[in-house]
C-alpha cells in the first residue's frame, strides 16, 4: 500500500527523529487492516508474565502457545504484536517479516514486592529479532519511578540511534496515589505527558475515569463536564504534546464486547490513535476474537 | 548415534537461537542412555554449596570427591552433569569430552540471610571449561527477584551469543508466598512460565503439589481435579510455552526409591522432559544409585 | 549584531572555559531583543513535567503544543528557551537555528516521593538537538543532594569539553530546611554559591525573601536592612563569585503583572542578569504575554 | 500481503541467520509488484559516483535529483532501492517506510588508480537511515581483494548481529583476468560462489558470457553447450550453494529493450532470482522506464 | 534576524540530518550581510599552511596575524571563517560568538611529495573551539583518494552525531588527470558529486573551465555550448543532487577585481550558493578587501 497523507502527517510530527525511527513507525502505521488510516490496534501479550499463565490463558488454552498470538495478530490484520523476550523468541523465526513486533524490555509479576519492573531484554535483542520497536513500562508515582526513567533514557537513546521506535506503557501507581486515582483523568493525562517528555514515540495509557485525584489539579478540571469518555480521551491526547505523539489506550480486564466497541468509538471520537487490546482478544475463542477485532477495525475506519 | 526426529523436533522449537545453542542442546539430548529419546536425566551437585558438605556427602563419603559425581553421571549414562565452578574445575580436565556439563553460575547457602544467590562463575568460565550450558537460579517472589532477572538477562545474552544453552532453576520463595505455596501448582506453573519468558532453554522446577496458593488464580483452577501428579506436570509444561521449552523436574530431598520411580512415571506421562536428580542419586551407595538411574531411564523409555 | 563590550566583559569572567562554551554563552547573550545588553530573559517550560499538563497549560490551551513555546520565545525576542527532552525534540527541527535552546537534563514531578530528579537526557542529546547549553536542577539540603552534585559533575565535564554551557537550577529543599527557609535570603545566597562552586555558567535561583533561615548565619545578616528586594538580589549576585557568574531569577507561580515588572526592576537594580519566566508568560494569553515580555525587556534596558 | 510459501522457503535456506536478517530479507521479497513471487527487481543508483553524474544522468536530467530514484523505484513497484550514503540521506526522510533500501557501503570511481573501493558508510548509518540491508562490492582477482574481503567480514558480522541483510556485488577484475574474462561463465560462477562463501545473503553478478577464462577450469566446462544464457544463469545459481542464496543479475550498460526483456526471461528460466537494473531504467524517460519495469515484472511472474 | 523562507527551504533539503546540523547550517546561512538570502561568502585562510606564510601574507603583512582574518571576516559581514587548528586556536577566544567558524581538519603543504593531506584537528577540537562545521579536503583522482574518503567518513559521522556540519573541499588532482583537467567542467561536476555522495553538507569546488577532460564523458557534453560560466556553475550545482546540497566556488589565485565580481555574478546566475574567497580578499589591503567583499554581497543580493 502506498504511504497515505494521514500517516505521512503523523510521521512529520516526529521531527527530530532519524529516518530509521520514522520507517519503523511507518511499518506499524502502514501494516494490517488499519494500515494507512493513522489508527492502530496492537496485540500485547505480557499477561502470562505479569499475572501468570493460568490466569491469562486457561480460559482459551491454545493461547498457552506463543505461536497462537503471532497468528492471531497476523490473521486479524493488526498493526503490531508486543511481548517479552521469551514469547518473541518462540515465534520470531516462523513469523519473520509477517507482522511488526515490539519487544517489551521490562516486566513485573503478581508476586513483586515493589512497584518496579525487571529488565529482561535489550536493544540488541530487538534488532536481532527484527522488531520495529522496544516497549517499556514506567510507574509514575512509584518509589522506583526515577530508576525506571533513567533505564528507559539509556535504552531509548540506544534504540533511537539504531532506528527503533520506543513505546512506553505509562501506568501510574504507588506513592500517594489512591487505587481509584490510578485511572483518574488528571493522573492519566499527567502520565501520558511524562511519557512524551521522556521521549516516547508511542504512549500507552489506560482509558481514564472521570475521577480527579490530585487536589492541586481539581480547580483546573472543575466546571467542565468529564462524563463523556471521548472528551477524556481528547484531554489525554492534548496532554501528549497536543496530538504530536501517538497515544493508544487499553481497556484493562476482559469485559463484554459492547463495552469494548464503545471504548473504541470513544477513542476514535476523542482523537485517540487506537487500542492495545490483550485479554479482550486472546481470552476469547479465536473466531470470536477475530470477529471482534474486525469490528473494532471497522469502528476505527468510521464504518460503524 | 544419528539425530532422531524426536530431538530434531525439540531443537526446532528453539527457533530464534543460533546453531551453537542448538548444537549444545543436541549434545545433551543425544548423550547417554536416553540420547535421542527427547528425555533427559541430569545430575546436579550444588548441595555441598547450598546445604553444606556433611549434610550432603557424609552419608556416602566417596561423594566428597568431585570426581565421584562426574564418574557417576558418565557411568549411569546421564545426559549432563551440573555443578558450581569449583566442582566443575576439579574434574573438567579428567573428564573432558566425556559428558556434557552445565556450569551453575550462582549459588546460595544455608547461612544466607537473604533469598538471593551469589555469582560464582561466568560465561567465560563455562567456555574454557567446555560446558554445554550455564545454569542459574531465580527466586520468583523474593525481594531480590528483579536483580536476579537482570543478572540472568546479561548472562543469557552473553551465553547465547557464544552458543551456550541456558538452564534456569526457578524456585519460588520469599515475599508473600507461604511455605506450602512454594510448591503449589499455580506457583510452579507461573515460575516455569517466568523462566520461559526470560529466555531459559531448559527450565527446572520442583514437582508441584495440588495446593493452589494465589487467591486470584483459584477460580481458574477450581472445578478441575488436580490430584493426579501427571496432570500437574502437564499443566507446568503447558505453561512453559505449550511444550516449546524443555522442562525438567526435581524431587527434592532423598526419599524412597518407589516414590522416585513414580515421580518419573508421572513426569513422563504428563509430557515432562525428564528429571534432575541429585540427592536421590549421590546419597545412595554407588551401585544402588546406578541401578536406580538405569531403572529411571527404562521408565523414561516407556519400558516399565 | 556586533559583540558589545558589555557581553565581552561577561564572557571574560569565564576565564577557564574554552571558546566553545563562551561562544554558546555569547549565542544566548547576543540573541533576541536583549542581545548585547548583558541581560537575559529565558523561557523555561518544564512545568508540564513538574506539575502536570493541565495545571500548566489548561489556562491557555494552545500551550499544550510544544511548538507554541518555541514560537513564543522567538516572537518575544527572548534569549533562550529551556525544556526537557520531549519538548525540545518536538520542535527542534522546525525551529532549528531560530533560538538558542537549553536541554533540561533532569526532571521531577508532583508525585515524586523523594526530593530528587531523574535524568531524561544527556549531553549527546543536547549536541544532536543543536542546544547551546544543558540545564540541571540541584536540591541543596535534600538527602539526594550529593548524588545530584555527582551527576552534574560528570555531565558538566562532558558538556564543557563539547563547548556547551551549563545552567544550574538551584532549589534548596528537604533536610532540615523549613518551607519558609527554602526562599530565605541566606539560603538563596548559599544555594547560588554552591551552584557556582560546582561550575555552573548560569545560575538560576528564586527571588529570595528577607527571612534568614540558618541560626549560624543570623549574626552575619543581622543589623543590615534586607527589606529591599534589589539589595537581596545584590547579595545573591555577590555570593555567586562577586558577579563573575550569570545569575538569573525566577518569580515562581503566576502572579499579577505589576509584581512581575517590579521583580524585574529589582533584579536589574540589584545587578542580576535577568529573569527566567515560565508560568508568568505561557499561562497568559499570547498577546498579553508578548506585551509583558516586551515591557520586561524595556525594563532590563533601563527604558522604564 | 501474506507471506507466501515461495518466500518462506527462500527464508528457510538462511538457516543460521537470526529473525532480524530474515525479516529484512522478507521485507524485500514481499515488497512491490513482485512481492511474494520469490523474484526481485532492485534499482541501484551508484553510477553517479562510479561513472560521474553527467555520464549517468544527462540523458534523463530529472535523474540528477536523488528523489527521482526513490520515486521511480516506488512507482515501479520494485522490491528495493540501493545507493551510497549521500543519495540515501537525500531522500530517506521523505520516503521513510515507502520502499526497502540498501545502503551501499563502498564505492569506486572512474579515476581510481587501483581496483579497490572506499568505504563511505557504515552499519550504524544503515540503521539510522532505516535500511533493510548493507551493500558492498568485492573485486575477486584484484590485488585488493583480500582487503575488501576482510572489510566486508567485519561489516557483515556487525550488520548480521543488528538484523540487517548483506548484499554483495561480486565483480571480477584485475590480476590476471582478461577483459573478456571478467564476464566469463567460469569466472562469474566462481565470483558468485566466493560471495556466498563470505556470507552474502544476496549476490549480485553480471550475466555471464559463454567464454571460459581459466585454463584449469576448461576441461570441466568442455563438452557442454553453454550457448543458452538460461543455462549459464542456472550454473551461476548452482554455484551459489545450489540455490540456497539469492542471486540477482545485472545487464550492464543501457541497451535496447528487447535485450533487457530477453535477459529477464533467461534469468527466470535459469532459476535466477531477479534483476538489478540501473542504467537501463533511470536513463530512459520515466514513462518508458515504468513501462519497461512493468513488463519485466510480468516476465518474472511468467506472464509473458 | 528571523529565519527566512529561502533559508528554511535550504535546511529542509538536509532531510536526514539532526536539528544540530541544521542549526549550524542555519548559523552560517543567517549570519552576516548575506544572512537570510541563501547565499554565503566564506573566508578561508589555510594558504599559510598550503603555500607558506610569505607567499600568502607578505603582500599584506598584517595578515600574518591570525586575528586579522577573524576581524576581516567579522567586519566584512561574511557568513563564516575557515582555517586550520592553529589559526582558529589563535583567535577563538577573542572572537568567540562573533562569527561562525569552520575547523579545517586536514592540510597539505608545498613540500608534500604525495597528493595527500595530513589530519591536524578533530571533531572534539571543533566542539571545544565553538565551530559550526568541520572542513576537509579530498583529492579525487589521487592515489590517496580512498584513504581520504575513509578518513572523512569517520570524521563526518562523528561530527554529524555532535550536530556539526561538514564542508568538503573537493579538488581533483593526481592519477591520470591532466593539469588542465583539474578544472575541467566534467571533472568539477564529478568532484562535486562525489563530495555529495560521501555526505558533504557544503561542497567547495573551483569554478570550472569549458574544457572536457574525460574521453568517456565527451559525448555527453558535446553539442552543448559551455562557453558561459553561469551555465557551467549550473551544471555543477545540478550534479550536486540537483541543488539539494550547498555548493560554493573558489576563484583560485588573486586576480583583478572585475574578474572576481564577474565570477560572483556567474555563480549567482548559475544558481550557485556563493563564494569562498581567500587570497582575493586577504592579499588586498584591508579597506580594499572590505570594499570588494561589500560589493560581492551586493552582487549576491542581486543589487548589481
Amino acid at each position: 500500500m502506498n504511504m497515505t497523507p494521514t500517516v505521512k502527517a503523523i510521521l512529520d510530527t516526529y521531527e527530530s527523529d532519524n529516518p530509521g525511527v520514522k520507517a519503523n513507525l511507518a511499518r506499524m502505521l502502514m501494516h494490517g487492516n488499519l494500515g494507512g488510516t493513522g489508527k492502530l490496534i496492537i496485540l500485547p501479550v505480557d499477561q502470562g508474565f505479569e499475572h501468570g499463565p493460568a490466569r491469562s490463558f486457561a480460559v482459551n488454552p491454545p493461547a498457552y502457545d506463543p505461536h497462537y498470538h503471532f497468528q492471531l495478530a497476523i490473521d486479524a490484520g493488526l498493526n503490531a504484536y508486543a511481548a517479552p523476550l521469551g514469547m518473541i523468541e518462540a515465534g520470531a523465526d516462523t513469523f519473520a517479516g509477517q507482522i511488526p513486533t515490539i519487544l517489551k524490555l521490562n516486566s513485573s509479576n503478581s508476586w513483586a514486592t515493589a512497584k518496579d519492573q525487571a529488565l529482561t531484554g535489550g536493544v540488541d535483542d530487538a534488532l536481532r529479532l527484527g522488531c520495529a520497536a522496544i516497549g517499556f513500562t514506567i510507574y509514575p508515582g512509584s518509589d522506583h519511578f526515577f530508576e525506571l526513567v533513567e533505564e528507559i533514557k539509556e535504552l531509548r537513546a540506544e534504540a533511537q540511534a539504531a532506528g527503533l521506535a520506543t513505546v512506553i506503557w505509562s501506568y501510574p501507581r504507588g506513592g500517594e496515589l489512591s487505587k481509584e486515582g490510578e485511572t483518574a483523568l488528571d493522573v492519566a493525562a499527567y502520565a501520558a505527558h511524562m511519557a512524551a517528555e521522556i521521549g516516547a514515540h508511542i504512549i500507552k495509557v489506560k482509558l481514564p475515569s472521570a475521577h480527579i485525584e490530585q487536589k492541586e489539579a481539581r480547580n483546573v478540571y472543575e466546571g467542565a463536564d468529564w462524563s463523556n469518555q471521548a472528551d477524556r480521551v481528547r484531554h489525554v491526547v492534548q496532554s501528549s504534546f497536543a496530538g504530536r505523539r501517538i497515544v493508544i489506550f487499553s481497556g484493562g480486564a476482559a469485559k463484554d464486547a459492547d463495552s469494548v466497541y464503545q471504548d473504541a468509538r470513544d477513542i476514535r471520537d476523542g482523537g485517540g490513535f487506537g487500542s492495545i487490546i490483550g485479554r479482550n482478544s486472546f481470552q476469547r475463542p479465536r473466531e470470536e476474537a477475530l470477529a471482534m477485532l474486525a469490528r473494532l477495525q471497522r469502528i476505527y475506519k468510521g464504518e460503524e
Side-chain angles (χ1 to χ4, degrees), chain A:
Chain A
M1 185 196 297
N2 289 334
M3 174 67 53
T4 60
T6 303
V7 170
K8 181 70 179 145
I10 294 172
L11 296 181
D12 286 349
T13 62
Y14 294 86
E15 58 179 44
S16 295
D17 278 289
N18 60 36
V21 170
K22 290 186 189 179
N24 273 317
L25 289 171
R27 277 171 73 188
M28 293 186 276
L29 286 163
M30 295 304 295
H31 190 86
N33 293 337
L34 289 177
T37 64
K39 302 295 177 189
L40 302 107
I41 302 180
I42 294 175
L43 175 68
V45 188
D46 57 352
Q47 295 81 356
F49 206 142
E50 300 268 339
H51 309 142
R55 281 174 64 197
S56 301
F57 307 131
V59 65
N60 181 29
Y64 279 106
D65 184 347
H67 280 211
Y68 178 84
H69 304 284
F70 275 95
Q71 198 66 58
L72 178 65
I74 292 165
D75 291 346
L78 302 189
N79 298 72
Y81 168 57
L85 184 77
M87 292 286 277
I88 294 288
E89 281 201 338
D93 182 86
T94 297
F95 299 98
Q98 299 192 37
I99 186 163
T101 52
I102 300 165
L103 185 64
K104 190 76 190 341
L105 296 191
N106 64 351
S107 290
S108 189
N109 65 79
S110 297
W111 308 334
T113 52
K115 296 194 187 312
D116 194 6
Q117 296 238 335
L119 284 176
T120 63
V123 171
D124 48 352
D125 292 311
L127 289 170
R128 76 177 165 83
L129 294 169
C131 302
I134 58 167
F136 192 89
T137 295
I138 56 173
Y139 290 145
S142 155
D143 293 347
H144 294 273
F145 180 56
F146 286 178
E147 291 162 38
L148 288 165
V149 166
E150 296 188 358
E151 277 175 1
I152 186 56
K153 166 192 173 288
E154 297 296 330
L155 292 166
R156 196 199 87 104
E158 187 185 349
Q160 186 182 43
L164 296 178
T166 294
V167 184
I168 293 184
W169 275 243
S170 193
Y171 284 178
R173 66 185 61 176
E176 300 178 7
L177 289 176
S178 70
K179 191 72 195 164
E180 193 186 6
E182 292 181 2
T183 53
L185 174 60
D186 59 323
V187 165
Y190 196 170
H193 183 81
M194 284 198 264
E197 288 279 17
I198 60 184
H201 297 105
I202 299 179
I203 297 163
K204 192 266 192 183
V205 289
K206 292 188 183 167
L207 277 167
S209 71
H211 176 66
I212 304 298
E213 170 81 358
Q214 309 166 92
K215 239 178 297 183
E216 309 85 341
R218 237 163 251 171
N219 69 325
V220 178
Y221 288 91
E222 270 168 9
D225 173 9
W226 295 108
S227 62
N228 186 327
Q229 184 167 250
D231 290 335
R232 300 196 297 267
V233 164
R234 187 171 295 110
H235 176 60
V236 173
V237 171
Q238 178 187 47
S239 297
S240 304
F241 292 173
R244 291 181 183 276
R245 293 296 172 262
I246 295 170
V247 188
I248 56 177
F249 296 84
S250 61
K255 51 189 175 184
D256 72 280
D258 284 343
S259 302
V260 175
Y261 299 139
Q262 188 55 46
D263 282 354
R265 275 185 214 103
D266 291 340
I267 295 168
R268 177 197 68 196
D269 293 344
F273 291 74
S275 298
I276 186 158
I277 184 162
R279 283 170 285 175
N280 272 299
S281 51
F282 68 71
Q283 290 188 344
R284 283 182 161 80
R286 185 178 140 90
E287 290 312 311
E288 199 178 309
L290 288 172
M292 167 180 276
L293 292 165
R295 187 157 178 202
L296 287 170
Q297 290 165 344
R298 288 197 302 274
I299 289 171
Y300 276 118
K301 287 177 176 173
E303 295 170 2
E304 54 177 288

